Amino acid sequence: MISADDTILIVGHGSREDSGNQEILAFADQWRARQPDWRIHVCFIEFAPPGLKEGLLDAARQSRRVLVVPLILNAAGHVKMEVPEAIEQARLAYPQTEILLAPHLTACDPVLAVLRRRLRQAMNTLDMPDPTTTGVVLLGRGSSDRGANGDMAKMARWLLEVGDHELVDLAFTGITWPRLERVVQRQALLGMRQIVVLPYYLYTGTLMQRIHRQVEHLRAQYPQLRFVCTAHFGFEPEIFDLLTQRILDLDRHVADSRLPCDGCTYRELAHDAGHGHSHEHTHAPAANAAQQEHPVHIHAHAPGHDHDHDHPHGHGHDHGHDHDHAAPHREGQTA
């Protein structure tokens, strides 16, 4: 049972666009209103205070338990590496405090329900809401982690399976392919007359702003097509309910609640050897229900090369992250 001595720590990514950070803080306020007996704190992986390590140490200092819940859709370097490493450091600093890590949001039915509702709403704005002539593009943040991209592919396929659209394609804003422009080109060649772009983002930021600019350019480039671009979806009731369930699962299954990468032997060995998260391995299926959503996941990281930043590195990748600064690679920087 969640007690007054427990702290629930939301881990947001953080953005250079402060409006995105403010939305996460507003999300926490709304969650507190839904769960008035819970002590809910917020920290950010980067770009906004309090930082991940600071937030964990502060929560551990004042709590019997800290229940960490990443407010992140896809697990790549941040979720698989940086969050567990920060938790290990907080455990060492405050061994009397139990710190548990919940799974990230991942591909699941509640998120699918949000996407289906957004798609229906978009279709209702069209002059000809015909799914056979309307292409759908699920547009997410790209990653060099194939597991994260695979979760996006799963969501696109699920959206196709439960609907009437003949074309539900996947596109990425950076790092990997295909990009939005190429997918729109293909759908136009296949005879689509309308295209719905569904951004797979929880909160606003520079990438959401860029997406809306891209759609405006596409409208000018394809005047024969009708475009609808939906908004990000962080405040939907399913997201609140999903995070609440994550916390309840942690509380009920304390012994088995850690993520496969939380305390991962491969990650620990790589860290001790000074290689950060440069490794590739597959985890065996997890035993508890929370882990069954992603029983097997694969790490495929190149040294110092797994993050989705939007700044030049001179290696040919178009990084699609919420910041535009020229900086050297730093290990563990994937959204």
Side-chain angles (χ1 to χ4, degrees), residues 46-73:
E46 56 187 354
F47 299 130
L52 173 61
K53 294 179 181 179
E54 177 188 354
L56 274 166
L57 291 173
D58 182 65
R61 183 167 47 247
Q62 58 181 299
S63 309
R64 175 182 65 93
R65 289 191 307 174
V66 179
L67 309 179
V68 182
V69 55
L71 189 56
I72 295 175
L73 284 169

Side-chain angles (χ1 to χ4, degrees), residues 49 56 66 68 80 84 109 113 116 123 130 135 139 143 172 181 233 236 242 244 254 256 279 292 294 303 320:
L56 274 166
V66 179
V68 182
K80 292 179 178 178
D109 285 331
R116 293 182 68 185
M123 292 295 291
D130 181 1
L139 179 60
S143 173
F172 299 95
E181 292 81 359
F233 54 84
E236 298 288 348
L242 185 54
T244 297
V254 171
D256 300 315
H279 60 279
Q292 285 172 358
H294 54 289

Side-chain angles (χ1 to χ4, degrees), residues 141-154:
R141 182 198 308 272
S143 173
S144 53
D145 185 294
R146 60 190 180 190
N149 297 330
D151 280 345
M152 283 287 306
K154 181 189 293 186

Side-chain angles (χ1 to χ4, degrees), residues 208-272:
M208 278 302 306
Q209 295 169 0
R210 183 193 301 172
I211 287 168
H212 289 295
R213 291 195 301 268
Q214 286 177 320
V215 172
E216 287 303 314
H217 292 319
L218 290 168
R219 287 191 174 104
Q221 187 176 354
Y222 296 92
Q224 77 278 17
L225 299 181
R226 175 78 182 274
F227 288 89
V228 178
C229 182
T230 64
H232 52 282
F233 54 84
F235 291 93
E236 298 288 348
E238 290 88 350
I239 305 301
F240 289 103
D241 292 343
L242 185 54
L243 260 65
T244 297
Q245 190 59 52
R246 291 284 191 264
I247 294 302
L248 295 177
D249 288 343
L250 279 186
D251 185 50
R252 293 165 183 163
H253 307 288
V254 171
D256 300 315
S257 61
R258 300 199 306 169
L259 282 177
C261 275
D262 183 12
C264 166
T265 301
Y266 289 88
R267 179 170 55 77
E268 290 172 348
L269 291 174
H271 182 272
D272 292 342

